[in-house]
Amino acid sequence: MKLTIYFDGSFWCGLVEAESDGHYQVIRYVFGAEPKDADVLEFIANCLPRLLEQSGTFTAERKSEKKMNPKRIQRLINREKRQPVVSTKAQLAINELREQAKMANKAQKRQKKADYAEARFQQKQAKKREKHKGH
């Protein structure tokens, strides 16, 4: 059994895929707002068994299962983990604003540092000229 939670553009949905004895079931459940861990656990404990009983099944043609190398399985798992998590439009907008603020801050710091260095240079030049003026 596999539960995949994804954002379909307006709602958070859960897709349950269950396979047993050659029978394949697919259930789509709409969570609405982004589900917390407690919401997912509550869904699995309370709603999922009832939905599995109600939904129809069909016989799926099984492909011959070939034993996979454990290293290959681990690579596939790590590849799936590296895939970016689906995010809401609001989160994407906030991240974009944060990146813009970071770039502006960086430019401002760079300019301030350059101005400070220029002021120090001018002070040294003035001090040098003052020393060479004479008495």
Side-chain angles (χ1 to χ4, degrees), residues 32-126:
E34 184 172 357
K36 304 276 189 265
D37 290 344
D39 297 336
V40 174
L41 290 174
E42 193 268 330
F43 165 72
I44 292 170
N46 298 333
C47 300
L48 186 58
R50 185 171 29 90
L51 290 172
L52 286 171
E53 290 175 3
Q54 291 175 354
S55 71
T57 63
F58 67 91
T59 306
E61 292 181 4
R62 295 185 57 86
K63 295 180 181 176
S64 62
E65 288 194 25
K66 209 163 86 174
K67 188 168 175 112
M68 284 182 75
N69 188 325
K71 288 183 180 180
R72 179 179 295 277
I73 293 171
Q74 194 63 42
R75 274 198 310 268
L76 291 173
I77 290 170
N78 288 333
R79 191 176 299 144
E80 281 191 25
K81 282 183 185 177
R82 280 192 306 262
Q83 300 230 341
V85 179
V86 179
S87 183
T88 63
K89 291 178 186 176
Q91 287 172 332
L92 291 174
I94 289 170
N95 285 342
E96 184 66 32
L97 287 172
R98 189 177 295 130
E99 287 297 320
Q100 288 176 356
K102 190 192 299 185
M103 297 299 277
N105 238 356
K106 208 172 190 180
Q108 189 178 10
K109 282 183 184 178
R110 192 179 310 119
Q111 183 63 39
K112 193 174 183 179
K113 190 175 179 181
D115 291 344
Y116 180 73
E118 180 65 28
R120 292 277 296 170
F121 177 73
Q122 293 301 332
Q123 279 180 341
K124 286 180 184 178
Q125 293 299 320

Side-chain angles (χ1 to χ4, degrees), residues 5-14 28-35:
I5 297 175
Y6 63 96
F7 185 71
D8 72 349
S10 54
F11 299 108
W12 284 90
C13 300
R28 182 174 178 262
Y29 181 79
V30 178
F31 285 103
E34 184 172 357

